[in-house]
Amino acid sequence: MTASPRHWAFNPAPPPITPPDTDQDHTCEGCFPRAQQALIVAICRRVAGAGADVASGNWPLGGVEIWTREPGSGRPLDEGAAWVLHHKMARQLALVGWHTEVDARRVLVLGWSLSALRHRARMLQAALGRLTGFGPTAYRAATLTGDLLAGLCTSPSEFERDFVVDRTCALIARALRWPAWLAEIARYERTSQVQRMQLALAQIAGLERKLAHACQEHLALAARVSRAVCEDAAAGGSLERARLRALAEAQGWPTHGPDTRPATGAGSDAEPPQAGPMNLTERRVAASTPNHAVTAHRDPADLPQPGR
């Protein structure tokens, strides 16, 4: 017996879910890996801040559901506020590479999206291109250091100089934005059971390592410029002269040596950071992907022949 239109009016159907395609990873068999689910929740909590409580659970058909509630009371958020907040969460999750569905009740994360992963790779490549030049970072570091020193005495102490250098590097890192984003994601392992997703994740992991290294070089250069301005100002020179001298010296400094690597403490000589071992995603791809560069140059006589 078919339901009447009156019955439909009082029992609206839930919003439709976009059907999966071949560019999405739906092999989690009803449950996301714990590391990925923890990363999803961490991103959503960062977006929500103190304005909402975030809860998560496994979707029975495969995926992760995210709900938001009012802090303390546990009541659902206002529909308009929840709609805006859920779309902000979905945007941040899509930038990592997941396919999401959004409505006023929840955010549904269905799996990796190949198009979203490719978009993230393009973002990382664009960020690497913007970090090829060190001039803007050196100028910003010298300007921030001069502004911070202007509020201190004419001859700052060593403690004050260390504070100024640390504060300058923190402001530079906030302006770069990528160090905090990469640090948030680096704590969690991202994997997939689909080979195309594995390759995309491995490419992204490599780009993230390069971008993190580039950010470290910029922060190290900022620390060295800030230290030079502080030392010149402590010697009795004017702030304007100290900034100009530090910028002139920075043009001749190497950008890939131990002099411009992050230091363990402000003003100390630091050793160049090691690249570190490959993560799990990169090792899996390296072990499972054939080396076409080697097989392409093999002698035809060494290849298996029909009938042998």
Side-chain angles (χ1 to χ4, degrees), residues 15-16 47 52 68 76-91 101-107:
V47 175
T68 54
L77 292 177
D78 177 71
E79 184 175 352
W83 185 264
V84 173
L85 180 59
H86 290 173
H87 274 81
K88 289 181 178 179
M89 293 178 177
R91 181 178 181 275
E101 296 289 341
V102 188
D103 57 33
R105 298 176 301 169
R106 65 185 178 182
V107 178

Side-chain angles (χ1 to χ4, degrees), residues 162 165-166 169 220 223-224 227 261-271:
D162 293 342
V165 172
D166 293 339
C169 292
R224 186 169 181 180
R227 174 64 58 180
R261 298 306 177 92
T264 55
S268 62
D269 295 332
E271 295 294 333

Side-chain angles (χ1 to χ4, degrees), residues 30-56:
C31 179
F32 265 44
R34 290 185 178 180
Q36 295 185 28
Q37 185 170 354
L39 176 57
I40 292 172
V41 174
I43 293 175
C44 292
R45 286 177 178 171
R46 171 175 58 83
V47 175
D53 292 335
V54 177
S56 65

Side-chain angles (χ1 to χ4, degrees), residues 217-252:
E217 289 188 334
H218 278 260
L219 293 177
L221 179 66
R224 186 169 181 180
V225 170
S226 179
R227 174 64 58 180
V229 175
C230 289
E231 292 178 352
D232 201 348
S238 64
L239 291 179
E240 185 63 26
R241 177 184 296 180
R243 285 186 290 191
L244 294 177
R245 181 176 300 177
L247 290 175
E249 294 177 356
Q251 295 180 358

Side-chain angles (χ1 to χ4, degrees), residues 118-157:
R118 289 172 176 171
H119 177 68
R120 180 170 182 81
R122 290 192 296 268
M123 287 179 52
L124 294 170
Q125 291 171 349
L128 282 170
R130 289 192 295 268
L131 292 180
T132 54
F134 290 84
T137 298
Y139 179 81
R140 186 179 294 113
T143 303
L144 290 174
T145 302
D147 294 341
L148 292 173
L149 288 175
L152 302 176
C153 58
T154 55
S155 181
S157 63

Side-chain angles (χ1 to χ4, degrees), residues 98-119:
W98 282 299
H99 174 76
T100 59
E101 296 289 341
V102 188
D103 57 33
R105 298 176 301 169
R106 65 185 178 182
V107 178
L108 185 60
V109 185
L110 297 178
W112 294 116
S113 170
L114 189 59
S115 60
L117 291 174
R118 289 172 176 171
H119 177 68

Side-chain angles (χ1 to χ4, degrees), residues 11 42 58 66 73 138 159 172 175 191 197 210 262 305:
N11 294 274
N58 292 322
I66 300 295
S73 65
F159 174 79
I172 294 294
T191 58
M197 302 296 179
K210 293 180 180 179
Q305 301 296 327

